[in-house]
Amino acid sequence: MCQGKMTSGNDSSVTEFILLGLTQQPELQLPLFFLFLGIYVVSVVGNLGLMALIGLNPHLHTPMYYFLFNLSFTDLCYSSVIIPKMLPSFVKQNIISYAECMTQLFFFCFFVIDECYILTSMAYDRYVAICKPLLYRVTMSPQLCFMMTVSVYTMGFVGAMAHAGSMLRLTFCDGSIINHYMCDIPPLLKLSCTSTSINELVVFIVVGVNVIVPSLTVFISYTVILFNISCMRSTEGRSKAFSTCSSHIIAVSLFFGASAFMYLKPSPVGSLDEDKVFTIFYTIVGPMMNPFIYSLRNKDVHIALRKTLKKRVVT
């Protein structure tokens, strides 16, 4: 099973991996290929469309849409890191080199951690907007938004370096077949013939910090937000405030729920096939759904879309 060159002693180091993909059932391969190709197209068009809409409409140049722009950018990037390399596994043997595998792992970790903190930043923005509306413009200044964004990508880089760096120290000589559709941490650790205790500690610390801390921050923010909404006297005000928060709650629940189950459960619990299903929710379904979650019930986006289409028709 092991493909590679000989190193010191009797060990051999893997230079290529085979990605098994989502399923090995032949009758499902072609339908799934077109399904995930369609999902990727929708994800790219949806996220690019939302980014263009925010960029072209000055009235959307607010902190809320600034973070939404970054969320769409992150979704676009990390779905592009995964799906194009996933699709060949439905039609042929999908081989990925060691270098490509480690690169995919790095960028996957980078963009997933970015998503954690962008969702947290959006929760804080909604907290200030609803709970401290008179201080909103002062608190959510362009300088603070920029600093928060820099912090988001810095945390992503540090976390991705920790995961990729600890993975690079491992020797893979027990096999080259990855039972997954991408180079994710759990299936790679199963292939290592050296101790993975350091990697498991890195996963526990990095994932714990980047999932538990943001999810607790989001939970506390929305607990306070919902309490303030319930105290509003105006029915219209409650409805408007809740509509701006409900979409974010859905996106947060989908992302943090699936990722927490994947990486924070005890290692013996669940099979790799179950892990693949849960990974789909935050790596593939989430990036496709987010543009719709944030735009379908959003009047500002509807107005911006109508204005943009009118300008195109007139020109």
Side-chain angles (χ1 to χ4, degrees):
M1 302 291 289
C2 195
Q3 302 174 16
K5 57 184 180 181
M6 297 301 294
T7 57
S8 60
N10 293 322
D11 293 334
S12 69
S13 178
V14 172
T15 58
E16 289 181 341
F17 295 103
I18 298 172
L19 294 171
L20 279 188
L22 192 61
T23 180
Q24 293 301 298
Q25 300 181 38
E27 67 275 10
L28 295 177
Q29 301 283 34
L30 202 57
L32 286 175
F33 172 84
F34 287 109
L35 172 65
F36 285 101
L37 177 61
I39 287 174
Y40 182 59
V41 171
V42 171
S43 180
V44 170
V45 172
N47 284 293
L48 278 178
L50 193 55
M51 289 168 64
L53 204 61
I54 294 170
L56 292 171
N57 290 271
H59 78 278
L60 295 182
H61 295 175
T62 63
M64 174 182 172
Y65 293 102
Y66 172 78
F67 291 120
L68 184 54
F69 181 94
N70 279 276
L71 180 69
S72 291
F73 171 74
T74 302
D75 283 337
L76 175 66
C77 289
Y78 90 81
S79 61
S80 296
V81 166
I82 296 165
I83 301 180
K85 193 59 187 176
M86 170 192 184
L87 291 174
S89 63
F90 292 117
V91 293
K92 63 177 183 178
Q93 188 180 69
N94 194 5
I95 297 175
I96 183 170
S97 70
Y98 176 84
E100 288 175 327
C101 186
M102 294 300 111
T103 302
Q104 186 187 55
L105 175 68
F106 173 83
F107 282 107
F108 165 65
C109 294
F110 176 70
F111 289 117
V112 167
I113 295 171
D114 290 346
E115 181 117 348
C116 290
Y117 287 101
I118 291 172
L119 290 172
T120 308
S121 301
M122 293 173 75
Y124 178 72
D125 171 73
R126 290 300 84 202
Y127 162 76
V128 177
I130 293 171
C131 301
K132 299 180 179 181
L134 297 178
L135 298 174
Y136 181 71
R137 289 185 180 275
V138 176
T139 304
M140 299 304 296
S141 63
Q143 293 80 9
L144 178 65
C145 292
F146 177 75
M147 288 174 60
M148 291 172 70
T149 306
V150 170
S151 299
V152 164
Y153 292 112
T154 300
M155 291 297 292
F157 179 78
V158 171
M161 283 296 292
H163 283 306
S166 62
M167 194 65 69
L168 287 169
R169 56 173 286 277
L170 298 180
T171 301
F172 300 97
C173 56
D174 286 350
S176 63
I177 297 179
I178 299 175
N179 186 16
H180 212 298
Y181 55 81
M182 66 174 183
C183 290
D184 199 5
I185 297 168
L188 280 170
L189 293 183
K190 289 184 180 293
L191 295 181
S192 174
C193 57
T194 50
S195 174
T196 60
S197 56
I198 293 177
N199 298 74
E200 290 166 5
L201 180 62
V202 169
V203 170
F204 182 78
I205 294 173
V206 175
V207 176
V209 169
N210 294 318
V211 172
I212 293 176
V213 173
S215 58
L216 279 176
T217 305
V218 171
F219 177 77
I220 293 169
S221 298
Y222 275 101
T223 300
V224 177
I225 287 170
L226 293 174
F227 176 78
N228 277 266
I229 291 175
S230 66
C231 294
M232 290 180 179
R233 294 181 180 180
S234 168
T235 304
E236 184 181 349
R238 282 200 304 269
S239 176
K240 184 177 180 181
F242 185 75
S243 67
T244 61
C245 297
S246 58
S247 56
H248 191 59
I249 292 172
I250 293 169
V252 165
S253 301
L254 179 66
F255 180 80
F256 282 111
S259 56
F261 178 86
M262 256 298 296
Y263 294 102
L264 297 180
K265 64 180 176 59
S267 54
V269 177
S271 65
L272 282 176
D273 290 333
E274 291 176 353
D275 289 349
K276 285 189 282 187
V277 173
F278 277 95
T279 307
I280 285 173
F281 282 102
Y282 70 91
T283 60
I284 296 174
V285 176
M288 179 192 69
M289 292 298 296
N290 282 344
F292 300 100
I293 291 172
Y294 285 102
S295 61
L296 287 177
R297 297 179 60 190
N298 192 314
K299 291 181 180 179
D300 291 336
V301 173
H302 294 170
I303 293 169
L305 182 59
R306 284 197 295 269
K307 286 183 177 179
T308 303
L309 291 176
K310 282 181 182 179
K311 286 180 182 178
R312 294 294 179 187
V313 170
V314 171
T315 55

